[in-house]
Amino acid sequence: MEKKGLSRRDFLKGTVAGTVGISAVGLLGACATQETGGNAEQKTEQTEKVIQTSWKTPPQAITDFVDTINTEVLVVGAGNAGMFAACAAAEKGAKVTVIERNAMIGMGREWIGGVGTRLQKEAGVNVNKFEIIEELSRYASNRVDQRLLKLWVDYSGPTMDWLENVVKEYGSYMVLETDTGEETHGVYKTYAIQHNIQNQEKPIESTHILKEKAQALGVEILLDTPMVQLIRENNNTGKVAGAIAKTKSGHIKIVAGKGTILCTGGYSNNREMLEELNPLAVQSCVGTASHAGSKGDGIKAATWVGAAKDDVPTVMIFDRCTIIAGTDGKDWSKAMWLHMGSQPFLKVNGQGERFANESTPYDFIVHAASLQPGDRYCMIWDGNWKEQTRQFHTIGCSRLQYSKSGSKLMLFDENATEGMHNGTLLPQGFIVESDTLEGLAEKLKLPVDTFVKTVRRYNELCSKGVDEDFGKESYRMLALEKPPYRGALMGGQLLCTLDGLRVNTSLQVLDTNLEPIEGLYAAGNDSGGFFADNYPEYIIGCASGRTTTFGRLAGQIVASL
């Protein structure tokens, strides 16, 4: 994803001073459809019609081409899954072509989950495979194919070991964050499965190394080349023989002798698909950190040729988006990233009342807020916030303190967080401040008396060390006592979609009768059957781990045909 303005790396270097635009850090894109006149009722009818039909409707068959490319393995998408698939297929000796809709390869997620890795064995970490499968299934209400979960736990270890060897070739190394598996993270089960790559100075995204690796293996990567449709023989009943892509010169035909692997990253940046398939997610979110290339290309093209898709809409939502108090958050371009949102501070609804245990996985508080008036909530903290976040000791990408394992991976530390708040969010009104609780309530547009009563009750429970109302862990029950008091109006931040195409354990895409479509494979967020309802954020790295493992397996399988 192309980054605009100051990057999170810039903030970590202390260059946060000054004003940052609404789409700061390149994470909050403008996704709202703009109306430009016309009859409102006609607009509504037209919009509803488009939402019901447009993305499902196959385009006319394209028959004129400016070029034809013959390859053995076609990988559609140059992100995590795509680069792992390309390298794996090329290592098997196959001729590999990668097409990518954007002008650069995809962003590599830095939290990669693996089970049974060399680093875990060296650290004495033993993760029970069936326990983690059951935990993943529990998050999903068992609406998953447990054979796919087992495929990940069985092959993620060898995948991480392979990646560790590769990054060493390029002057980097891999780290396992062992403290993610300690029993100090609330009532939710956590596992030490999160691996990341770094050098002596900073964390490294795997896709940048894998691009060099792939090119060294002879992989051809075509950027600015979006897929527009698949080629399925015998009137969409036979083998998928490749795909048609668009270039600046016109359409090209890519014939894939062995198979085509879809790795386009889901549909989180396709507002039309989101509104139809997951309106609750749209309702719950106020901003997006979605990858620019996640337009649903793979899922759309596959369903046009008869593929089946997950029935349960599932997205990854983080609790890190803030909007101006008094606004509704429906225009995602007017939100800002508040990374500290995942800290378990006091959170209240629009009536100034506490409504849930704040010590939960990231999207749980967003789900709870969706049942409250206005779907939004406020987070409250005070002048002791640094000391309190140290005691909270959150893990994964919500960290404000580095892992004792030696990992350099963190989005914002305390100093960068403070700089972002004071330099941007407070001056622009996303964070409000007052020396009194009454004044804070007024600025957050909350009922003053109710809010003050809520805070006093919360402080009383903190003094007791027992959360009698919602059961938050006692070590995270820390009173709000030191002015200035600060607060922000919060909503969900959409990262990606997780409901994808149905696949089997060979990563073959299945048709609506759940039979394999010859020549068609999927990995990453184009593939389904692994998540349902929500993302299990406390099983840190399982999404990226699934993506990388299945990408590598798909590349090996197709190249071996």
Side-chain angles (χ1 to χ4, degrees), residues 164 167-168 171-175 196-200 406 408:
E164 183 185 11
V167 301
K168 285 179 180 178
S172 300
Y173 58 96
M174 184 179 284
V175 175
N196 61 275
I197 302 161
Q198 61 191 41
N199 58 26
Q200 293 301 322
K408 294 181 172 65

Side-chain angles (χ1 to χ4, degrees), residues 117-262:
T117 68
R118 183 165 52 234
L119 288 179
Q120 287 170 328
K121 294 172 184 175
E122 292 172 356
V125 172
N126 182 26
V127 177
N128 185 304
K129 292 184 177 182
F130 289 103
E131 181 181 317
I132 201 169
I133 287 172
E134 287 300 326
E135 189 71 3
L136 286 167
S137 300
R138 184 179 66 83
Y139 272 96
S141 303
N142 243 46
R143 293 191 179 96
V144 291
D145 185 340
Q146 288 196 0
R147 295 168 297 182
L148 293 175
L149 305 186
K150 189 171 188 297
L151 188 70
W152 169 62
V153 298
D154 284 345
Y155 287 93
S156 57
T159 299
M160 291 301 98
D161 293 346
W162 173 84
L163 180 60
E164 183 185 11
N165 293 336
V166 171
V167 301
K168 285 179 180 178
E169 297 176 20
Y170 291 87
S172 300
Y173 58 96
M174 184 179 284
V175 175
L176 169 70
E177 291 197 358
T178 52
D179 59 333
T180 58
E182 296 175 354
E183 300 294 332
T184 56
H185 311 296
V187 300
Y188 293 88
K189 185 67 178 176
T190 61
Y191 304 88
I193 65 171
Q194 184 230 305
H195 302 68
N196 61 275
I197 302 161
Q198 61 191 41
N199 58 26
Q200 293 301 322
E201 292 80 34
K202 61 182 180 180
I204 305 293
E205 293 179 6
S206 62
T207 49
H208 295 292
I209 291 176
L210 294 184
K211 177 187 177 184
E212 295 186 44
K213 179 69 172 178
Q215 290 175 328
L217 290 167
V219 174
E220 182 180 22
I221 301 174
L222 305 178
L223 302 176
D224 282 319
T225 308
M227 177 186 68
V228 293
Q229 55 189 243
L230 291 165
I231 303 169
R232 189 175 185 190
E233 299 170 342
N234 298 330
N235 194 28
N236 284 342
T237 62
K239 176 183 178 180
V240 169
I244 297 169
K246 185 178 181 180
T247 69
K248 294 178 180 178
S249 302
H251 290 102
I252 61 172
K253 181 179 182 180
I254 307 172
V255 179
K258 290 178 177 288
T260 298
I261 308 173
L262 300 175

